Amino acid sequence: MIRIDSVTKRFGRATAVDNVSLDIPAGDSVALWGVNGAGKTTLIRCVLGLYRFSGRIEVGGHDVGRRGKRARALIGYVPQELGFHDELGVAEAVRYFALLRGLRVRSAESVLDDVGLAGHGGKRVRELSGGMKQRLALAIAMLGNPPVLVLDEVTASLDACGRGEFVGLLSRLSGAGRTILFASHRIEEVTTLARRVVVLEAGRIGAQTDSETFAESLGLHSMLHLTIRESTRRLALEHLCASGFAARMNGVGLLVPVAREQKAAPFRVLAEARIAIDDFELIAADAAGAPAHTQEAQP
Amino acid sequence: MTAHAASTARALDTRPARPPAMPANVLTIALRELRDAVRSRWFLLYTLAFAALGLGVSYVSALGSGGAGLSGFGRTTAGLVNLVLLVVPLMALTAGAGSIASDRERGILAYLLAQPVSRFEVLLGKYFGLAGALLACLCLGVGACALVLALKGEATRPAAMLWLVGLAFGLSLGMLSLGMLVSVLARRASVAVGTAIFLWLALVFVSDLGLMAGALAFRLRIETLFALATANPLQVFKFWSLHSADATLDVLGPAGLYAVDTFGDHVVWLFTSVLAAWAVVPLAIAAVIFSRRAPV
């Protein structure tokens, strides 16, 4: 679905992407992993046709350089931060971008409802929080059900709780069969969304592996399931999030991704907050169907 | 599971989606730009300023000619020519200069270009949208002026007012085009707007003074002087509006006389060509540069 062939992008004398080749078949999800400046965003911008580059990129068989409009019609894009006119209405924005995709949205509210923005259609974009803006960007990216989703460090501007919620939403909406290419340096996003991880180092592909192996290699693969009474569950979530844990609620308690050497840390936080834990279980990420980390690991 | 999730669960159509044709995208972007412009402060400010100054100019010109107050449409039109020469280029140049550079700075442009639109569609859509806003501004400004005069029972030549709006719009298209070229070239919105103001000063004041100084210092031949004058769209607007008002360019001195003697009635085509060239050429150059430059 996405074919990147010997792509090089230079800014003056600096080489941001250096002879990168990557083939992403339909339905695959690939994370571009790397520190800031590794070339993740530059490569994504090349895929979107925002930069001129040497080499060739095809999306759905369309050359991005020559038939960029056709290629982008297959892509739903969520940027790091949403670039909108602040005065634009939320529902108005949905209708505007739908028109650019040749779609007519009968009810913007139903589109917004899918990303948890029901009732916000009448607001101006500037009235939305950072997390809400990202949800709006996601709603727009999903217009027309595009087969490719391109995400560029979509949770970089969100707090820990916001990140967890947004990644959960992405995981739910991205669905099976969609091709996903995303840049990230957050392990929870990688383990939740990606099947494959491509490590970029100074613009070059350093390594390629599946996300499980990648997470194992970072030593970050444990999840605590805490059973907590409903009356104190929300308070517990707030305390854990405030302490840097990407915790989230499930049916009977909380799921808390933890680093291997920090499994006791959530207990300490909740004990200090005088919140009782009825039971706990240490589970694998796969069983929880979710990520397993609190730390923003860097490669 | 939400309806959206249900829709994504079914098999995705991976056949190439057909994006809207160019006219549809240009229209969508133009309407968006027009709405944004009409909501903006610059639009309100320029419209109010244009109407207020128009009323002031007509009042002062009437006092100067011995009248007791607001003059009729014909004389007001003549007075408005100088106002248009000052205000409209500034309005169009700054609107154009702010368009691309400001969107680039705020990340709006990159997000828009990540959608299934071409750069030419974005540029053209923005141009038409802003042109629509400028036309609305001119109509409201001159219209308010005309309405007040009509209510005072001074309505004599509304057609002259309409013609002035048309000419001013032609001038504004050229200035908008130049402003957009500046906007495409500039990295920052502040630089773009600053450059636009510098160009405005150059076209309004420096070219006039420069021509006068050049004519004296280099003893320019009359045809050279006329050719240099017509290179400036503001001079063309002045020539044309006075030509329309008096059917003679004698009032413009030797250059005007030369134009009438040499071109006769065809001088109108020359003016049309110059204004059209100013509307098209800078925009075409902007389109070429815009297609090659990164939007971030």
Side-chain angles (χ1 to χ4, degrees):
Chain A
M1 178 55 81
I2 302 175
R3 180 168 292 167
I4 298 168
D5 185 15
S6 308
V7 167
T8 298
K9 173 64 191 172
R10 291 192 179 89
F11 296 101
R13 288 181 181 179
T15 304
V17 174
D18 191 1
N19 198 30
V20 167
S21 293
L22 190 60
D23 200 3
I24 307 172
D28 200 1
S29 52
V30 173
L32 298 174
W33 176 272
V35 294
N36 289 335
K40 307 185 296 290
T41 296
T42 303
L43 187 58
I44 277 186
R45 286 175 178 169
C46 290
V47 169
L48 292 166
L50 297 178
Y51 285 149
R52 290 160 68 87
F53 51 86
S54 66
R56 185 180 170 94
I57 299 177
E58 283 181 9
V59 178
H62 295 291
D63 185 338
V64 167
R66 292 181 181 176
R67 304 186 77 189
K69 193 175 157 181
R70 277 290 185 89
R72 286 190 294 276
L74 299 172
I75 300 174
Y77 168 60
V78 184
Q80 189 171 329
E81 271 186 72
L82 188 59
F84 268 176
H85 290 284
D86 285 345
E87 291 305 311
L88 195 65
V90 172
E92 206 179 353
V94 171
R95 278 192 285 269
Y96 173 56
F97 285 98
L99 276 175
L100 292 178
R101 289 189 167 272
L103 306 166
R104 289 203 175 271
V105 177
R106 284 182 188 168
S107 166
E109 275 301 325
S110 68
V111 174
L112 295 170
D113 188 29
D114 291 334
V115 293
L117 285 179
H120 295 283
K123 286 184 178 173
R124 301 267 175 230
V125 171
R126 69 176 148 82
E127 294 174 274
L128 300 182
S129 67
M132 285 172 156
K133 281 183 183 172
Q134 287 305 78
R135 283 165 183 262
L136 175 59
L138 181 60
I140 290 168
M142 302 295 276
L143 285 168
N145 204 20
V148 179
L149 207 51
V150 173
L151 317 165
D152 184 11
E153 301 197 23
V154 288
T155 61
S157 58
L158 306 181
D159 59 26
C161 268
R163 278 203 299 272
E165 284 177 12
F166 192 77
V167 170
L169 183 67
L170 261 175
S171 173
R172 185 166 56 85
L173 290 182
S174 55
R178 202 182 303 276
T179 310
I180 303 175
L181 173 66
F182 68 102
S184 179
H185 53 224
R186 294 186 193 284
I187 190 67
E188 67 266 28
E189 286 170 25
V190 171
T191 50
T192 306
L193 298 172
R195 282 188 203 156
R196 262 198 305 154
V197 182
V198 172
V199 181
L200 285 176
E201 291 167 357
R204 293 184 178 186
I205 293 182
Q208 288 194 59
T209 179
D210 65 88
S211 59
E212 289 295 308
T213 310
F214 182 70
E216 287 287 348
S217 72
L218 293 178
L220 297 162
H221 211 263
S222 300
M223 173 85 79
L224 267 179
H225 182 214
L226 303 175
T227 306
I228 295 172
R229 273 169 228 159
E230 195 176 356
S231 56
T232 54
R233 213 175 288 156
R234 169 66 60 183
L235 187 63
L237 179 71
E238 286 170 6
H239 276 283
L240 288 169
C241 285
S243 301
F245 292 97
R248 60 193 169 84
M249 283 204 269
N250 78 345
V252 290
L254 299 176
L255 286 169
V256 191
V258 285
R260 279 189 173 168
E261 70 279 13
Q262 286 193 322
K263 289 194 270 298
F267 295 95
R268 193 171 57 246
V269 170
L270 296 180
E272 283 171 3
R274 296 182 182 281
I275 295 170
I277 300 167
D278 294 334
D279 196 3
F280 77 93
E281 191 181 2
L282 193 62
I283 53 176
D286 283 349
H293 308 287
T294 57
Q295 304 302 300
E296 292 173 12
Q298 300 288 327
Chain B
M1 183 186 265
T2 64
H4 205 142
S7 70
T8 54
R10 68 172 181 262
L12 292 168
D13 185 0
T14 54
R15 287 172 302 172
R18 186 171 285 276
M22 191 176 93
N25 273 350
V26 170
L27 181 67
T28 302
I29 295 166
L31 290 174
R32 166 85 274 125
E33 196 69 25
L34 178 62
R35 281 193 207 105
D36 286 345
V38 169
R39 282 177 190 167
S40 68
R41 286 193 194 122
W42 73 259
F43 179 82
L44 185 70
L45 202 71
Y46 275 127
T47 307
L48 288 175
F50 197 61
L53 287 170
L55 285 168
V57 163
S58 58
Y59 187 81
V60 170
S61 66
L63 284 178
S65 62
L70 295 164
S71 64
F73 275 127
R75 271 180 292 162
T76 304
T77 304
L80 281 173
V81 167
N82 284 315
L83 181 63
V84 166
L85 275 170
L86 280 176
V87 177
V88 170
L90 179 66
M91 195 161 70
L93 272 167
T94 50
S99 61
I100 300 286
S102 165
D103 281 4
R104 184 191 289 123
E105 209 168 79
R106 292 151 68 193
I108 295 169
L109 188 63
Y111 187 66
L112 180 59
L113 290 172
Q115 308 301 320
V117 295
S118 71
R119 296 187 184 206
F120 187 59
E121 287 167 2
V122 170
L123 192 75
L124 217 55
K126 282 183 168 289
Y127 182 76
F128 287 142
L130 286 172
L134 288 169
L135 182 62
C137 184
L138 285 169
C139 288
L140 287 171
V142 177
C145 199
L147 185 69
V148 171
L149 289 171
L151 289 173
K152 289 277 182 184
E154 302 256 359
T156 52
R157 290 180 62 193
M161 284 287 211
L162 278 176
W163 179 241
L164 178 72
V165 170
L167 275 184
F169 183 55
L171 174 66
S172 72
L173 288 180
M175 295 295 95
L176 180 63
S177 182
L178 188 60
M180 291 196 79
L181 174 59
V182 169
S183 198
V184 163
L185 287 167
R187 282 273 165 219
R188 297 175 64 88
S190 54
V191 173
V193 173
T195 309
I197 291 171
F198 173 78
L199 284 173
W200 172 74
L201 281 170
L203 287 167
V204 171
F205 299 110
V206 180
S207 73
D208 246 7
L209 296 172
L211 274 181
M212 280 164 56
L216 290 172
F218 302 109
R219 296 180 185 278
L220 294 175
R221 289 154 59 99
I222 191 67
E223 55 267 38
T224 311
L225 194 64
F226 180 70
L228 288 172
T230 48
N232 182 346
L234 274 68
Q235 296 290 346
V236 172
F237 169 79
K238 192 158 70 179
F239 281 152
W240 201 351
S241 52
L242 290 176
H243 181 61
S244 307
D246 295 334
T248 172
L249 293 178
D250 297 3
V251 288
L252 292 171
L257 281 172
Y258 168 80
V260 172
D261 287 348
T262 310
F263 299 101
D265 288 341
H266 296 300
V267 76
V268 171
W269 291 109
L270 176 72
F271 295 155
T272 309
S273 306
V274 172
L275 285 189
W278 274 96
V280 172
V281 174
L283 190 67
I285 297 169
V288 171
I289 296 168
F290 190 50
S291 69
R292 292 164 186 270
R293 277 208 154 181
V296 277

